[in-house]
Amino acid sequence: MSTPEKIKILYVDDEMNNLVGFNASFRIDYNLFIATNTTEALEHLKKHADIRIIFCDQRMPDKTGVQFFEEIRSEYPLPIRMLLTGYADIDSVIDSINRGNIFKYIKKPWTDADIITSINEANKFYLVSSMLALKNQELEKAYEELDKFSYSVTHDMRGPLLSILGAVAVTQQIDDVVEIKEMLNLMATSVKKLDDFIQAIHDYYSLKRGALQIVEVDFNDLVKEMEDIYKITSTINGVRFKTKVVQHEVFRCDEMSLKVIFNNLLSNAFKYQRKENDDKWIEMDIEIVKGMATIKVTDNGIGIPQNFIGEIFNMFFRATSQDVGSGFGLYNVKDALAKINGEITLNSEIGKGTSFLVTIPNK
Amino acid sequence: MDPALHFILIDDSKLDCLITEKIIQNIGICASVKSFLEAAAALEYIKNNPASADGAKIILMLDIYMPLMNGFEFIEEFEKLSPEIRNLYSIFILSSSINENDQNRVANYKTVKHFLNKPLNGDFLISLLT
């Protein structure tokens, strides 16, 4: 286990003796910042956003500790504020504590034990409240996504179902067996579309919630798997699928993320071919050099309009009506890459094809 | 009721176009039906061939969620056309959406006659057109 970083503490006091004493007692165990007036204190706060605890003397020439805490509270809400004071000022201190400006006050003259206990308490409180703030942020983002999600899911799930319902109604009027079979084929397409969508949602959640499972990756095996998956599609649609793998070193990564990336890039490459093209091909080129995997997926398909390139990684965005798609695939690719610190760029030309370049570092 | 109406379907789902085509053909009020998978292509077609050959009314069945140009964007472009052209058409939304915002938004477009849910109910369509 790595040693946790030292807690950053700011101590504000106009009396040099106190500062020196404080420094001597605590500089080993904590990362201390010292200020002789509130202006200096503000400079420290500005520079170090991660100061967790502020000790401030109540009686200072420019302003009182209570005033200082009141002033900084809205701009620097995170650090835990603690006041050092003698009994004489107790009324204003109580008032300030009640208004929530001060976490705790410490009676002067303080002992080291007082300070250490207070730091531990304050640190616990800091961790809990900052964790809460972080969780709240995550939650807000999750709600936002959920809204968008349920809105689109109702459409993307109902769509194929209603198609099938319509097809059933039409088929009930048909007597010709050949025509009925034709309708059944179309219904199967709809079922497939719904299933693809559910698969994409599954990927989405596995990526969002699943922990990384770092294993040694043999790209030859992975590519072999992809070749098997796309063998039928490749034959039926007359698309040549060429692969090349150069791997002479161990590469560690999350295999689930890699599969999501490969699968989505390849299924797009197969889907968005130019139907009239006599020589359809897809190339997958993988090279692992010095702990960096470079994966290139190139096709000579329909290409992506320049004005849509910025949007293709957005959830539910679709740049074409050719073939069925959920608008989920590249979003999942981007999500997977974020998890494994990978990057993706692309080049595309309408009517010529698209080339995706993915780089992923070894874990 | 005019027995010979012309239909233009705009839906990115090929299957849905086919189903709607069949339903329309089955109810016997259809002189012709033309399907577009992309709204922009339909708009282009309407600009170039605004009127039907026999001058009869054209019924436009429009999906909402489509890639590239969606149903709302199509209506906004359509409403820019001259009134002479617009009057040749009746627009019906045909969507799987159960979202109230979509239905309310559609109600704000004066060129849209009705919001229909998929799959199309032939008898209901007849009642709307007569």
Side-chain angles (χ1 to χ4, degrees):
Chain A
M1 205 180 114
S2 63
T3 36
E5 227 177 281
K6 284 185 191 174
I7 298 171
K8 289 189 177 168
I9 296 174
L10 170 64
Y11 180 47
V12 195
D13 199 324
D14 63 311
E15 284 172 57
M16 212 52 196
N17 284 343
N18 291 345
L19 289 173
V20 171
F22 193 88
N23 200 24
S25 302
F26 303 112
R27 71 187 155 84
I28 304 287
D29 293 327
Y30 306 103
N31 192 350
L32 293 186
F33 298 88
I34 301 287
T36 55
N37 55 57
T38 54
T39 320
E40 274 177 37
L42 279 173
E43 273 166 29
H44 283 307
L45 283 172
K46 212 176 283 172
K47 261 187 246 161
H48 305 278
D50 52 348
I51 287 177
R52 284 193 189 177
I53 298 165
I54 307 171
F55 286 103
C56 185
D57 184 32
Q58 163 69 350
R59 288 195 174 183
M60 293 182 295
D62 55 341
K63 61 185 69 158
T64 67
V66 168
Q67 284 172 329
F68 174 65
F69 281 151
E70 264 182 34
E71 281 172 23
I72 63 164
R73 188 184 175 191
S74 59
E75 200 175 341
Y76 303 100
L78 289 179
I80 307 299
R81 300 171 294 273
M82 292 198 279
L83 196 72
L84 300 167
T85 182
Y87 276 122
D89 311 299
I90 208 69
D91 283 346
S92 61
V93 173
I94 289 171
D95 184 44
S96 198
I97 289 179
N98 286 344
R99 277 186 284 135
N101 293 325
I102 293 168
F103 176 67
K104 211 177 156 171
Y105 84 91
I106 294 154
K107 197 177 63 184
K108 271 172 119 180
W110 43 263
T111 66
D112 285 5
D114 289 342
I115 299 286
I116 290 169
T117 315
S118 310
I119 288 175
N120 287 339
E121 266 179 55
N123 189 44
K124 257 184 223 157
F125 189 77
Y126 177 91
L127 288 177
V128 169
S129 47
S130 58
M131 187 76 84
L132 201 64
L134 193 73
K135 287 280 163 204
N136 266 334
Q137 265 176 15
E138 279 176 14
L139 212 56
E140 252 168 54
K141 200 170 157 246
Y143 271 129
E144 219 172 86
E145 244 172 38
L146 192 66
D147 269 353
K148 210 170 153 188
F149 195 74
S150 49
Y151 183 69
S152 298
V153 163
T154 46
H155 175 257
D156 287 343
M157 304 248 259
R158 278 195 99 220
L161 281 179
L162 297 180
S163 298
I164 297 165
L165 202 60
V168 169
V170 168
T171 310
Q172 274 168 343
Q173 312 288 322
I174 303 175
D175 295 320
D176 180 47
V177 177
V178 178
E179 225 179 307
I180 289 173
K181 286 204 170 157
E182 199 183 305
M183 290 307 286
L184 284 175
N185 278 334
L186 292 170
M187 288 183 223
T189 314
S190 260
V191 172
K192 171 107 183 31
K193 186 174 172 182
L194 189 55
D195 188 48
D196 280 352
F197 185 72
I198 290 166
Q199 185 65 44
I201 294 179
H202 173 78
D203 284 353
Y204 169 82
Y205 271 105
S206 312
L207 288 169
K208 276 269 184 270
R209 294 278 161 247
L212 287 180
Q213 285 181 343
I214 306 296
V215 292
E216 281 185 14
V217 178
D218 184 339
F219 280 94
N220 282 300
D221 287 352
L222 209 56
V223 166
K224 179 82 186 37
E225 201 177 308
M226 292 297 142
E227 283 174 339
D228 289 344
I229 292 174
Y230 288 102
K231 196 171 221 156
I232 296 171
T233 321
S234 168
T235 314
I236 291 177
N237 299 324
V239 182
R240 283 188 294 134
F241 183 26
K242 297 177 274 185
T243 60
K244 193 178 143 205
V245 179
V246 180
Q247 180 178 20
H248 301 297
E249 57 187 271
V250 171
F251 190 84
R252 294 170 58 78
C253 198
D254 176 50
E255 216 167 31
M256 160 82 191
S257 299
L258 288 178
K259 279 183 189 170
V260 166
I261 294 162
F262 284 18
N263 232 327
N264 281 300
L265 291 180
L266 286 174
S267 82
N268 281 349
F270 275 103
K271 266 189 213 167
Y272 304 116
Q273 285 287 338
R274 281 172 294 137
K275 300 239 152 61
E276 72 285 1
N277 185 7
D278 291 331
D279 182 28
K280 307 184 185 78
W281 53 258
I282 294 165
E283 257 178 31
M284 187 171 202
D285 227 325
I286 300 177
E287 203 174 0
I288 291 86
V289 179
K290 289 179 188 158
M292 185 63 82
T294 307
I295 299 132
K296 203 170 164 189
V297 177
T298 309
D299 64 62
N300 64 346
I302 58 174
I304 304 163
Q306 286 300 317
N307 50 325
F308 292 136
I309 284 182
E311 293 180 77
I312 55 170
F313 292 104
N314 293 348
M315 196 191 261
F316 301 119
F317 182 80
R318 297 199 61 212
T320 174
S321 59
Q322 178 170 330
D323 217 314
V324 296
S326 58
F328 231 134
L330 287 178
Y331 176 86
N332 280 342
V333 167
K334 192 143 206 200
D335 230 24
L337 282 168
K339 259 185 120 168
I340 54 178
N341 301 320
E343 274 171 28
I344 187 164
T345 56
L346 69 141
N347 269 310
S348 190
E349 205 177 323
I350 287 289
K352 290 265 171 69
T354 305
S355 177
F356 283 93
L357 185 71
V358 176
T359 50
I360 302 164
N362 183 26
K363 272 274 168 189
Chain B
M1 181 185 66
D2 193 335
L5 292 164
H6 298 278
F7 286 83
I8 290 180
L9 315 180
I10 307 174
D11 195 319
D12 63 311
S13 158
K14 222 182 264 178
L15 176 59
D16 284 8
C17 280
L18 189 88
I19 291 163
T20 312
E21 273 174 29
K22 297 229 178 214
I23 294 172
I24 289 169
Q25 280 158 355
N26 285 345
I27 55 178
I29 53 165
C30 168
S32 78
V33 54
K34 203 164 172 47
S35 294
F36 292 91
L37 296 173
E38 287 183 13
L43 193 70
E44 241 353 84
Y45 178 84
I46 290 168
K47 280 179 185 168
N48 294 330
N49 319 274
S52 53
D54 57 5
K57 192 103 179 163
I58 301 166
I59 309 294
L60 230 163
M61 295 278 180
L62 179 66
D63 186 23
I64 296 179
Y65 287 98
M66 295 179 283
L68 307 175
M69 182 186 267
N70 66 30
F72 298 124
E73 288 160 344
F74 174 87
I75 298 168
E76 272 154 33
E77 287 304 313
F78 180 85
E79 291 189 343
K80 288 180 193 159
L81 299 175
S82 71
E84 291 79 38
I85 296 180
R86 286 199 314 255
N87 288 336
L88 300 169
Y89 294 83
S90 292
I91 299 183
F92 290 85
I93 298 290
L94 182 59
S95 164
S96 63
S97 173
I98 39 174
N99 186 284
E100 273 179 34
N101 288 338
D102 289 341
Q103 307 199 357
N104 292 339
R105 194 169 162 193
V106 164
N108 287 331
Y109 292 108
K110 54 182 187 304
T111 44
V112 177
K113 288 268 188 295
H114 214 283
F115 189 111
L116 299 167
N117 281 305
K118 281 184 188 174
L120 180 62
N121 182 322
D123 294 336
F124 185 58
L125 183 66
I126 290 180
S127 74
L128 287 175
L129 293 173
T130 46

PDB file of all heavy atoms in Angstrom, chain B residues 5-22:
ATOM      1  N   LEU B   5     -56.069   8.686 -53.346  1.00  0.00           N
ATOM      2  CA  LEU B   5     -55.126   9.609 -52.716  1.00  0.00           C
ATOM      3  C   LEU B   5     -53.706   9.139 -52.989  1.00  0.00           C
ATOM      4  O   LEU B   5     -53.454   7.957 -53.179  1.00  0.00           O
ATOM      5  CB  LEU B   5     -55.361   9.653 -51.203  1.00  0.00           C
ATOM      6  CG  LEU B   5     -56.669  10.286 -50.734  1.00  0.00           C
ATOM      7  CD1 LEU B   5     -56.932   9.906 -49.293  1.00  0.00           C
ATOM      8  CD2 LEU B   5     -56.624  11.795 -50.903  1.00  0.00           C
ATOM      9  N   HIS B   6     -52.803  10.101 -52.995  1.00  0.00           N
ATOM     10  CA  HIS B   6     -51.382   9.742 -53.151  1.00  0.00           C
ATOM     11  C   HIS B   6     -50.711   9.813 -51.791  1.00  0.00           C
ATOM     12  O   HIS B   6     -51.020  10.689 -50.996  1.00  0.00           O
ATOM     13  CB  HIS B   6     -50.705  10.695 -54.132  1.00  0.00           C
ATOM     14  CG  HIS B   6     -51.298  10.624 -55.499  1.00  0.00           C
ATOM     15  ND1 HIS B   6     -50.936   9.650 -56.392  1.00  0.00           N
ATOM     16  CD2 HIS B   6     -52.240  11.384 -56.103  1.00  0.00           C
ATOM     17  CE1 HIS B   6     -51.635   9.823 -57.508  1.00  0.00           C
ATOM     18  NE2 HIS B   6     -52.442  10.868 -57.358  1.00  0.00           N
ATOM     19  N   PHE B   7     -49.812   8.891 -51.554  1.00  0.00           N
ATOM     20  CA  PHE B   7     -49.138   8.841 -50.255  1.00  0.00           C
ATOM     21  C   PHE B   7     -47.629   8.973 -50.407  1.00  0.00           C
ATOM     22  O   PHE B   7     -47.043   8.403 -51.330  1.00  0.00           O
ATOM     23  CB  PHE B   7     -49.435   7.523 -49.525  1.00  0.00           C
ATOM     24  CG  PHE B   7     -50.821   7.459 -48.960  1.00  0.00           C
ATOM     25  CD1 PHE B   7     -51.895   7.094 -49.756  1.00  0.00           C
ATOM     26  CD2 PHE B   7     -51.052   7.772 -47.626  1.00  0.00           C
ATOM     27  CE1 PHE B   7     -53.182   7.037 -49.235  1.00  0.00           C
ATOM     28  CE2 PHE B   7     -52.329   7.719 -47.101  1.00  0.00           C
ATOM     29  CZ  PHE B   7     -53.407   7.351 -47.900  1.00  0.00           C
ATOM     30  N   ILE B   8     -47.032   9.737 -49.510  1.00  0.00           N
ATOM     31  CA  ILE B   8     -45.571   9.751 -49.388  1.00  0.00           C
ATOM     32  C   ILE B   8     -45.243   9.346 -47.952  1.00  0.00           C
ATOM     33  O   ILE B   8     -45.778   9.928 -46.999  1.00  0.00           O
ATOM     34  CB  ILE B   8     -44.983  11.145 -49.697  1.00  0.00           C
ATOM     35  CG1 ILE B   8     -45.118  11.442 -51.192  1.00  0.00           C
ATOM     36  CG2 ILE B   8     -43.519  11.221 -49.265  1.00  0.00           C
ATOM     37  CD1 ILE B   8     -44.565  12.804 -51.606  1.00  0.00           C
ATOM     38  N   LEU B   9     -44.427   8.314 -47.812  1.00  0.00           N
ATOM     39  CA  LEU B   9     -44.027   7.857 -46.479  1.00  0.00           C
ATOM     40  C   LEU B   9     -42.581   8.255 -46.216  1.00  0.00           C
ATOM     41  O   LEU B   9     -41.727   8.089 -47.081  1.00  0.00           O
ATOM     42  CB  LEU B   9     -44.139   6.333 -46.360  1.00  0.00           C
ATOM     43  CG  LEU B   9     -45.399   5.661 -46.903  1.00  0.00           C
ATOM     44  CD1 LEU B   9     -45.309   4.149 -46.697  1.00  0.00           C
ATOM     45  CD2 LEU B   9     -46.628   6.217 -46.195  1.00  0.00           C
ATOM     46  N   ILE B  10     -42.334   8.794 -45.038  1.00  0.00           N
ATOM     47  CA  ILE B  10     -40.959   9.135 -44.657  1.00  0.00           C
ATOM     48  C   ILE B  10     -40.646   8.439 -43.346  1.00  0.00           C
ATOM     49  O   ILE B  10     -41.202   8.765 -42.300  1.00  0.00           O
ATOM     50  CB  ILE B  10     -40.777  10.659 -44.502  1.00  0.00           C
ATOM     51  CG1 ILE B  10     -41.246  11.380 -45.766  1.00  0.00           C
ATOM     52  CG2 ILE B  10     -39.312  10.982 -44.207  1.00  0.00           C
ATOM     53  CD1 ILE B  10     -41.245  12.895 -45.633  1.00  0.00           C
ATOM     54  N   ASP B  11     -39.777   7.436 -43.412  1.00  0.00           N
ATOM     55  CA  ASP B  11     -39.430   6.653 -42.223  1.00  0.00           C
ATOM     56  C   ASP B  11     -38.083   5.983 -42.478  1.00  0.00           C
ATOM     57  O   ASP B  11     -37.879   5.397 -43.539  1.00  0.00           O
ATOM     58  CB  ASP B  11     -40.520   5.595 -41.971  1.00  0.00           C
ATOM     59  CG  ASP B  11     -40.422   5.010 -40.576  1.00  0.00           C
ATOM     60  OD1 ASP B  11     -39.293   4.758 -40.110  1.00  0.00           O
ATOM     61  OD2 ASP B  11     -41.486   4.814 -39.961  1.00  0.00           O
ATOM     62  N   ASP B  12     -37.179   6.090 -41.512  1.00  0.00           N
ATOM     63  CA  ASP B  12     -35.852   5.502 -41.729  1.00  0.00           C
ATOM     64  C   ASP B  12     -35.869   3.980 -41.615  1.00  0.00           C
ATOM     65  O   ASP B  12     -34.900   3.325 -41.984  1.00  0.00           O
ATOM     66  CB  ASP B  12     -34.831   6.085 -40.732  1.00  0.00           C
ATOM     67  CG  ASP B  12     -35.184   5.753 -39.298  1.00  0.00           C
ATOM     68  OD1 ASP B  12     -36.343   5.966 -38.922  1.00  0.00           O
ATOM     69  OD2 ASP B  12     -34.310   5.281 -38.559  1.00  0.00           O
ATOM     70  N   SER B  13     -36.972   3.427 -41.105  1.00  0.00           N
ATOM     71  CA  SER B  13     -37.052   1.971 -41.027  1.00  0.00           C
ATOM     72  C   SER B  13     -37.718   1.417 -42.291  1.00  0.00           C
ATOM     73  O   SER B  13     -38.874   1.726 -42.589  1.00  0.00           O
ATOM     74  CB  SER B  13     -37.851   1.549 -39.791  1.00  0.00           C
ATOM     75  OG  SER B  13     -38.358   0.251 -39.967  1.00  0.00           O
ATOM     76  N   LYS B  14     -36.951   0.604 -43.007  1.00  0.00           N
ATOM     77  CA  LYS B  14     -37.443   0.039 -44.256  1.00  0.00           C
ATOM     78  C   LYS B  14     -38.682  -0.806 -43.991  1.00  0.00           C
ATOM     79  O   LYS B  14     -39.653  -0.759 -44.734  1.00  0.00           O
ATOM     80  CB  LYS B  14     -36.333  -0.830 -44.873  1.00  0.00           C
ATOM     81  CG  LYS B  14     -36.192  -0.655 -46.374  1.00  0.00           C
ATOM     82  CD  LYS B  14     -35.123  -1.586 -46.912  1.00  0.00           C
ATOM     83  CE  LYS B  14     -33.777  -0.900 -47.041  1.00  0.00           C
ATOM     84  NZ  LYS B  14     -32.715  -1.796 -47.520  1.00  0.00           N
ATOM     85  N   LEU B  15     -38.611  -1.587 -42.910  1.00  0.00           N
ATOM     86  CA  LEU B  15     -39.726  -2.478 -42.579  1.00  0.00           C
ATOM     87  C   LEU B  15     -40.993  -1.679 -42.298  1.00  0.00           C
ATOM     88  O   LEU B  15     -42.075  -2.012 -42.776  1.00  0.00           O
ATOM     89  CB  LEU B  15     -39.361  -3.338 -41.362  1.00  0.00           C
ATOM     90  CG  LEU B  15     -40.477  -4.248 -40.838  1.00  0.00           C
ATOM     91  CD1 LEU B  15     -40.947  -5.212 -41.923  1.00  0.00           C
ATOM     92  CD2 LEU B  15     -40.019  -5.017 -39.621  1.00  0.00           C
ATOM     93  N   ASP B  16     -40.844  -0.584 -41.538  1.00  0.00           N
ATOM     94  CA  ASP B  16     -42.017   0.226 -41.216  1.00  0.00           C
ATOM     95  C   ASP B  16     -42.621   0.841 -42.475  1.00  0.00           C
ATOM     96  O   ASP B  16     -43.845   0.939 -42.596  1.00  0.00           O
ATOM     97  CB  ASP B  16     -41.644   1.318 -40.208  1.00  0.00           C
ATOM     98  CG  ASP B  16     -41.500   0.746 -38.810  1.00  0.00           C
ATOM     99  OD1 ASP B  16     -41.546  -0.497 -38.689  1.00  0.00           O
ATOM    100  OD2 ASP B  16     -41.342   1.512 -37.850  1.00  0.00           O
ATOM    101  N   CYS B  17     -41.770   1.249 -43.410  1.00  0.00           N
ATOM    102  CA  CYS B  17     -42.284   1.776 -44.680  1.00  0.00           C
ATOM    103  C   CYS B  17     -43.115   0.709 -45.386  1.00  0.00           C
ATOM    104  O   CYS B  17     -44.227   0.961 -45.846  1.00  0.00           O
ATOM    105  CB  CYS B  17     -41.128   2.190 -45.603  1.00  0.00           C
ATOM    106  SG  CYS B  17     -40.442   3.791 -45.204  1.00  0.00           S
ATOM    107  N   LEU B  18     -42.545  -0.495 -45.431  1.00  0.00           N
ATOM    108  CA  LEU B  18     -43.210  -1.581 -46.132  1.00  0.00           C
ATOM    109  C   LEU B  18     -44.563  -1.913 -45.500  1.00  0.00           C
ATOM    110  O   LEU B  18     -45.565  -2.085 -46.196  1.00  0.00           O
ATOM    111  CB  LEU B  18     -42.304  -2.819 -46.107  1.00  0.00           C
ATOM    112  CG  LEU B  18     -42.785  -3.950 -46.983  1.00  0.00           C
ATOM    113  CD1 LEU B  18     -42.238  -3.778 -48.389  1.00  0.00           C
ATOM    114  CD2 LEU B  18     -42.356  -5.287 -46.414  1.00  0.00           C
ATOM    115  N   ILE B  19     -44.571  -1.953 -44.153  1.00  0.00           N
ATOM    116  CA  ILE B  19     -45.808  -2.279 -43.439  1.00  0.00           C
ATOM    117  C   ILE B  19     -46.861  -1.215 -43.710  1.00  0.00           C
ATOM    118  O   ILE B  19     -48.003  -1.518 -44.054  1.00  0.00           O
ATOM    119  CB  ILE B  19     -45.547  -2.386 -41.919  1.00  0.00           C
ATOM    120  CG1 ILE B  19     -44.700  -3.620 -41.630  1.00  0.00           C
ATOM    121  CG2 ILE B  19     -46.841  -2.445 -41.138  1.00  0.00           C
ATOM    122  CD1 ILE B  19     -44.063  -3.598 -40.268  1.00  0.00           C
ATOM    123  N   THR B  20     -46.457   0.050 -43.587  1.00  0.00           N
ATOM    124  CA  THR B  20     -47.412   1.137 -43.815  1.00  0.00           C
ATOM    125  C   THR B  20     -47.906   1.105 -45.267  1.00  0.00           C
ATOM    126  O   THR B  20     -49.095   1.300 -45.521  1.00  0.00           O
ATOM    127  CB  THR B  20     -46.764   2.491 -43.474  1.00  0.00           C
ATOM    128  OG1 THR B  20     -46.128   2.385 -42.206  1.00  0.00           O
ATOM    129  CG2 THR B  20     -47.793   3.592 -43.420  1.00  0.00           C
ATOM    130  N   GLU B  21     -46.988   0.847 -46.191  1.00  0.00           N
ATOM    131  CA  GLU B  21     -47.399   0.723 -47.608  1.00  0.00           C
ATOM    132  C   GLU B  21     -48.504  -0.314 -47.744  1.00  0.00           C
ATOM    133  O   GLU B  21     -49.539  -0.069 -48.377  1.00  0.00           O
ATOM    134  CB  GLU B  21     -46.209   0.263 -48.476  1.00  0.00           C
ATOM    135  CG  GLU B  21     -45.333   1.381 -48.992  1.00  0.00           C
ATOM    136  CD  GLU B  21     -44.095   0.844 -49.726  1.00  0.00           C
ATOM    137  OE1 GLU B  21     -44.177  -0.267 -50.290  1.00  0.00           O
ATOM    138  OE2 GLU B  21     -43.056   1.538 -49.709  1.00  0.00           O
ATOM    139  N   LYS B  22     -48.269  -1.497 -47.161  1.00  0.00           N
ATOM    140  CA  LYS B  22     -49.247  -2.594 -47.302  1.00  0.00           C
ATOM    141  C   LYS B  22     -50.582  -2.215 -46.678  1.00  0.00           C
ATOM    142  O   LYS B  22     -51.638  -2.473 -47.254  1.00  0.00           O
ATOM    143  CB  LYS B  22     -48.718  -3.863 -46.634  1.00  0.00           C
ATOM    144  CG  LYS B  22     -47.455  -4.374 -47.303  1.00  0.00           C
ATOM    145  CD  LYS B  22     -47.517  -5.846 -47.612  1.00  0.00           C
ATOM    146  CE  LYS B  22     -46.229  -6.245 -48.319  1.00  0.00           C
ATOM    147  NZ  LYS B  22     -46.367  -7.273 -49.311  1.00  0.00           N
TER     148      LYS B  22
END
